Amino acid sequence: MHIVLTVEDISKLSHSARAELLSLAFPKAHVDTREYPAGFDSSRFEGVVDLTPGQIESFMEGCSEKTVAGLRVIAEHGPVIHAKLLNDVGIENYGSFQGGVTKRTRTITGDSEACLFAFDDWSEAEEGVGHFAVTKNTFRSLRIYFELD
């Protein structure tokens, strides 16, 4: 199957859609050049994916209002947040939130091993509640989606 896009067609796309289209049309060899948030290293981010602005847009289309609100908390305070910040938007069952987000991440990426969050060691955290972290690229995509930048 072939799709033909003219310069006029491409100019009508959002900036994030154009960027995603270019990255798909002209892929680079995969080299993990991700930056990890303070306090986290690559070992905590195994399986954690970078979502583009276009993927975040698609992701949000299938989310509940509460999930969108939780992801907005990450966009506002991240890329690392203490999970208790989610309480402010009515998310108190962190495992359920994380599970729903992981399921949606796998749907969007087509990768059955993908996840959106990295974690610190919650067993050593005060009250057994730790932090969620996203990659800096996903954090930027969330901020673009919520028009915070």
Side-chain angles (χ1 to χ4, degrees):
M1 179 166 107
H2 294 282
I3 298 173
V4 177
L5 296 172
T6 66
V7 173
E8 184 178 278
D9 296 330
I10 294 172
S11 69
K12 293 177 184 175
L13 298 173
S14 69
H15 175 72
S16 60
R18 283 193 303 270
E20 188 169 3
L21 183 62
L22 288 173
S23 71
L24 290 171
F26 305 104
K28 298 176 184 171
H30 178 70
V31 176
D32 188 358
T33 59
R34 295 188 289 182
E35 298 175 51
Y36 300 102
F40 286 80
D41 62 24
S42 62
S43 68
R44 294 276 181 196
F45 276 84
E46 276 193 41
V48 177
V49 295
D50 288 322
L51 293 185
T52 65
Q55 287 173 309
I56 290 290
E57 198 169 316
S58 297
F59 186 103
M60 296 299 186
E61 291 173 3
C63 290
S64 69
E65 287 181 31
K66 191 179 276 191
T67 298
V68 172
L71 292 171
R72 184 176 182 96
V73 168
I74 294 169
E76 290 173 345
H77 302 284
V80 178
I81 65 157
H82 193 282
K84 285 188 175 185
L85 282 176
L86 298 170
N87 294 5
D88 295 342
V89 295
I91 298 172
E92 295 174 2
N93 185 334
Y94 311 125
S96 178
F97 172 70
Q98 180 267 333
V101 167
T102 298
K103 184 176 180 181
R104 187 76 184 132
T105 301
R106 292 174 179 176
T107 298
I108 292 300
T109 63
D111 180 349
S112 64
E113 301 294 318
C115 53
L116 194 63
F117 301 134
F119 310 89
D120 53 5
D121 187 351
W122 288 35
S123 67
E124 294 184 13
E126 186 177 324
E127 298 179 36
V129 179
H131 298 84
F132 286 118
V134 295
T135 67
K136 289 191 175 185
N137 290 333
T138 295
F139 178 63
R140 286 185 203 106
S141 295
L142 285 166
R143 291 190 60 82
I144 289 167
Y145 178 81
F146 289 112
E147 299 178 349
L148 298 172
D149 286 332

